[in-house]
Amino acid sequence: MASMDMGLVEALRAEGGGYGPGGAGLPPPPPKPQPRKIRDGDILLGNASNGDQIGISLAKLVEGRLLIQGNSGAGKSMLLRRVFEQSWGKVQQIVIDPDGEFSTLSEKFDVAVLSASELLRIGGRTLAGHMREHRYSAVLDLSDATSEDRMAFAGELAAGLIDAPPEHWQPVLVLMDEAQTFAPHFDTGDVDTETRKRATSSIADMMGRGRKRGVAGIIATQRLAETSKAVAFKTTNIIVGRTIFDRDLERAGDVLGFTAGHSRALRTLVDGEFLGIGPAFNVAGRSRFKAGGVETRHKGEAPQIAAPPQIGASAATALLGQIETPALQPENQRGTSSLSHRPGSGRRGRDWKPEEDQIIRDGYRDGMAIRDIGSALAEIGFSTSTSNISGRARDLGLVSEKAAAAWCDAEDEILRDCYAREVKIMDIVGVLAEQGYTRGRVAIQMRAIALGITRDRVNYWTEPEKAIALKGLKDGTQYAQIVENLRQAGFHRGLTAIFKFAQKNNLANRGSDPWTTEEVEKLKELYAQRLPTKEIAEQLGKTVQTVRSKASILNLKIRVAWSDDEYAKLNKAYADGKTLTEAVEIIGRPYANVARIAYTTGLKFSLAPSERGMAKAKKATAKPPKTKKKGAKK
């Protein structure tokens, strides 16, 4: 049979010859394998080279989130757009759009597109609560916002989505493009450090705790190495497109299970070609696919190559001569127009209004806190960050009275002496307090910078310290005991310092500091006493993060129900025209806790005192929620 002429074989098949008893023909050819289809309810991402459909489960996407990595031009934004289009109508969607590329989705889909000015007016937390309550989809166009406002808004939105009440925990996809601009791994230099840390922490929290709350973060980034690890590595589903840079290759290869050599193949992927892995995919293991097309117009295309007009050197010089020199403004008028578009001067694309500048001037004159100045600006329809207000104040030549009434010669002398003796900053706070001066740690650091007496604040490990710590780690000694050994030798290190030292020296071993049964029981007992986490960590001799992680696993929480007296204080503060910050001081609870109760009870502290009466008349006075007594029948 093997030597039979192929022409004869085909002839026999054409005649329909049988095979086996009753026929002298050939066996029928094996059936061609049918291409794999996606499951019902999945969304189609694209097709593999063999025709298999590559899809992803929406239900499992909520459980594991999704990361899309690809250098510029690899097609990650187009894939993000396709995810939106394929899942439209199946689940609520929120698109965080930093460059205004996704507004074209509204040309085909009935989705709201909200501008930056509207978003900043409403605020991230308020919008998040409203969207989770009413379950509508929206594209949040932040292209006209400053880097500071953009990042701050994204952080507040993420926090608001997580803090929504349980009755609003319905599935929602949060699609974030250019995630490295919202949660960078490094200090980018164009955003206040506290804003960056707060936004990154909130987005990481959303990616980590979103599963139980129905929040599925889908983040797309150009540079995996420049995206916060706390955000990127909380996803269990990964899609990687063309990747060029070594650091990105290393991280992308790690999550895909590649060796260093195999990772280089990611450089050869063509536009729109991806490798995916994760439990949400309809195929096991890694899948290589070409993304399908999109239905809506993409605004992120690069402009077409076109020859410039033929303008010679002499003609260019003549054109430059036609530019008018701007007239210099008087000193007292600067900042109203020409300074409005300078980086750091407040807003982008729009001048500050005279009435807004006047509010800032009045606030600085009266010694108001910047947060309260922001509230005054919000009352006339403009919301902005505290850093923007500070920047605008600098342009107007204003100096805070708190900063101006600053340091006297005696304080400066104390500061110089302490820095010369290498006194710790927290101890400097105490030295100043003993002399009747109240200064915080940050104020001391800023004053030291102004005096030019700053020093390297890194507490480097000495060789004797290293020897003690390394011996303890190699012997499997518990971190708390290593801290004690160092203390007895005259060195002072905390548990976190030991943990980081162990990581740096590749000696971090979770098994070296286990939780014993006695420690777990002690942890439960301390949580029942509602002690602060830091105090619990000190008593157990563990890091705060270790305690929090174990408490989370054991579902231990420290919650103190609001009393009737606290609700009465909140209502009174609202009726008396107090700000939310003042209400926090009166009640004595954390700001976020008071803000959440105020939101759930309908007390809008952003309203002017004159408007609160009408708002309150529409809604009953805030009352503590009814709690079911133990043993009560349902």
Side-chain angles (χ1 to χ4, degrees):
M1 182 66 70
S3 60
M4 185 177 293
D5 182 78
M6 292 305 298
L8 178 59
V9 171
E10 295 300 327
L12 286 171
R13 284 177 176 162
E15 291 175 2
Y19 179 72
L26 298 174
K32 293 183 179 179
Q34 294 297 318
R36 185 193 303 266
K37 301 292 185 181
I38 63 173
R39 299 164 295 203
D40 291 341
D42 288 3
I43 56 176
L44 178 61
L45 298 178
N47 294 86
S49 58
N50 62 357
D52 285 350
Q53 291 184 341
I54 305 300
I56 198 165
S57 166
L58 283 175
K60 292 185 177 180
L61 193 61
V62 174
E63 294 181 0
R65 288 76 67 197
L66 174 64
L67 167 69
I68 303 174
Q69 140 77 24
N71 291 154
S72 180
K76 60 172 177 45
S77 296
M78 293 291 281
L79 182 60
L80 201 64
R81 181 181 290 267
R82 180 171 178 83
V83 170
F84 179 94
E85 294 178 353
Q86 293 293 310
S87 54
W88 173 256
K90 300 177 181 178
V91 66
Q92 181 188 5
Q93 301 184 85
I94 301 173
V95 181
I96 304 176
D97 181 12
D99 296 321
E101 296 181 4
F102 291 86
S103 59
T104 54
L105 289 170
S106 62
E107 296 174 0
K108 180 175 178 61
F109 302 99
D110 188 17
V111 58
V113 178
L114 306 180
S115 64
S117 59
E118 183 72 1
L119 295 173
L120 296 178
R121 181 188 68 81
I122 298 171
R125 282 183 177 273
T126 302
L127 179 65
H130 193 265
M131 293 188 72
R132 296 221 71 179
E133 178 182 0
H134 298 283
R135 300 192 66 195
Y136 57 90
S137 298
V139 175
L140 313 183
D141 184 355
L142 292 166
S143 57
D144 287 334
T146 63
S147 298
E148 179 100 14
D149 284 342
R150 188 184 303 157
M151 189 178 292
F153 176 85
E156 291 175 1
L157 181 77
L161 292 172
I162 292 298
D163 292 342
E167 58 267 22
H168 297 157
W169 288 359
Q170 298 294 334
V172 54
L173 302 186
V174 182
L175 297 87
M176 177 184 290
D177 199 16
E178 307 295 350
Q180 75 279 359
T181 64
F182 293 105
H185 182 57
F186 303 103
D187 187 352
T188 57
D190 59 344
V191 175
D192 178 71
T193 301
E194 288 302 319
T195 300
R196 175 178 61 82
K197 289 181 178 180
R198 191 162 48 248
T200 302
S201 176
S202 296
I203 296 172
D205 189 45
M206 179 189 74
M207 298 296 290
R209 296 200 296 150
R211 182 180 66 85
K212 292 182 179 180
R213 292 158 177 78
V215 181
I218 303 177
I219 60 173
T221 177
Q222 286 189 27
R223 297 294 312 278
L224 189 55
E226 293 181 0
T227 307
S228 169
K229 292 182 180 180
V231 173
F233 290 170
K234 282 188 169 69
T235 60
T236 58
N237 303 290
I238 314 292
I239 296 177
V240 179
R242 184 174 60 250
T243 304
I244 303 298
F245 302 105
D246 289 342
R247 288 169 55 207
D248 296 325
L249 279 174
E250 181 183 350
R251 289 198 185 179
D254 285 344
V255 296
L256 290 173
F258 283 158
T259 62
H262 288 153
S263 296
R264 298 191 187 99
L266 295 173
R267 290 172 172 160
T268 65
L269 295 176
V270 300
D271 292 354
E273 189 176 17
F274 297 92
L275 285 170
I277 190 171
F281 285 86
N282 67 324
V283 293
R286 289 190 299 267
S287 58
R288 185 167 180 169
F289 64 94
K290 179 76 173 179
V294 296
E295 304 175 46
T296 53
R297 178 171 55 89
H298 183 51
K299 293 174 64 177
E301 300 290 346
Q304 299 295 321
I305 299 297
Q310 296 297 322
I311 300 177
S314 58
T317 303
L319 288 173
L320 288 172
Q322 298 175 14
I323 299 176
E324 295 182 1
T325 303
L328 294 177
Q329 291 181 314
E331 185 69 24
N332 60 355
Q333 293 181 6
R334 291 182 185 177
T336 57
S337 60
S338 61
L339 293 176
S340 297
H341 300 287
R342 275 179 26 193
S345 62
R347 273 173 292 189
R348 201 176 89 182
R350 178 184 167 195
D351 293 338
W352 285 78
K353 296 178 181 178
E355 53 267 32
E356 293 168 339
D357 286 344
Q358 190 59 48
I359 289 176
I360 296 176
R361 288 191 181 95
D362 293 343
Y364 268 71
R365 180 200 62 203
D366 298 337
M368 292 174 60
I370 295 181
R371 185 183 295 108
D372 294 333
I373 296 176
S375 300
L377 288 169
E379 292 177 4
I380 63 171
F382 173 60
S383 298
T384 188
S385 64
T386 55
S387 61
N388 276 350
I389 296 173
S390 298
R392 185 56 180 168
R394 286 194 298 270
D395 290 335
L396 296 173
L398 303 174
V399 179
S400 170
E401 284 192 6
K402 291 184 179 180
W407 295 74
C408 64
D409 293 340
E411 287 179 294
D412 288 345
E413 189 60 33
I414 294 173
L415 196 59
R416 288 190 180 95
D417 176 65
C418 289
Y419 264 75
R421 293 187 291 112
E422 297 188 355
V423 178
K424 293 181 180 180
I425 293 179
M426 288 309 299
D427 292 337
I428 297 176
V429 174
V431 173
L432 288 169
E434 290 175 358
Q435 300 298 322
Y437 303 109
T438 304
R439 298 291 180 184
R441 178 178 56 82
V442 175
I444 291 173
Q445 290 174 320
M446 297 302 294
R447 187 56 180 173
I449 293 173
L451 295 174
I453 59 173
T454 54
R455 61 172 180 259
D456 187 353
R457 290 183 284 127
V458 179
N459 189 7
Y460 294 102
W461 284 74
T462 62
E463 292 303 322
E465 283 181 295
K466 290 181 181 178
I468 295 172
L470 286 173
K471 183 179 184 305
L473 291 170
K474 290 177 180 178
D475 294 344
T477 306
Q478 290 191 354
Y479 291 171
Q481 185 58 49
I482 296 176
V483 171
E484 179 61 23
N485 293 343
L486 287 167
R487 189 188 66 77
Q488 292 178 2
F491 304 109
H492 297 279
R493 296 285 178 180
L495 291 168
T496 302
I498 304 299
F499 178 74
K500 291 182 178 179
F501 180 83
Q503 285 186 317
K504 184 177 181 180
N505 291 276
N506 296 320
L507 293 173
N509 184 3
R510 293 181 181 178
S512 65
D513 193 17
W515 282 85
T516 64
T517 304
E518 293 76 11
E519 286 176 327
V520 171
E521 292 302 321
K522 184 66 174 179
L523 178 67
K524 294 179 179 178
E525 178 186 337
L526 295 174
Y527 259 79
Q529 296 175 17
R530 305 187 185 280
L531 297 177
T533 307
K534 185 176 181 180
E535 185 175 336
I536 294 175
E538 291 175 353
Q539 290 197 32
L540 292 173
K542 297 182 180 292
T543 64
V544 172
Q545 186 57 44
T546 301
V547 170
R548 285 175 176 167
S549 300
K550 192 65 175 179
S552 177
I553 295 172
L554 298 174
N555 198 28
L556 301 176
K557 298 178 181 179
I558 300 176
R559 291 181 178 175
V560 180
W562 276 57
S563 64
D564 293 344
D565 182 59
E566 287 176 315
Y567 275 95
K569 289 180 179 178
L570 181 65
N571 278 285
K572 187 175 186 305
Y574 182 79
D576 292 344
K578 303 289 187 182
T579 65
L580 186 57
T581 303
E582 292 171 331
V584 169
E585 295 176 355
I586 294 171
I587 296 171
R589 282 181 174 263
Y591 184 93
N593 182 239
V594 177
R596 181 177 63 83
I597 295 296
Y599 170 77
T600 56
T601 53
L603 301 180
K604 298 181 179 179
F605 279 83
S606 59
L607 295 176
S610 59
E611 299 175 349
R612 295 183 184 182
M614 293 182 292
K616 195 171 183 180
K618 296 179 180 180
K619 190 159 187 173
T621 300
K623 296 180 179 179
K626 294 181 179 179
T627 55
K628 186 180 293 184
K629 296 182 179 178
K630 291 184 179 180
K633 295 182 179 180
K634 295 183 178 179

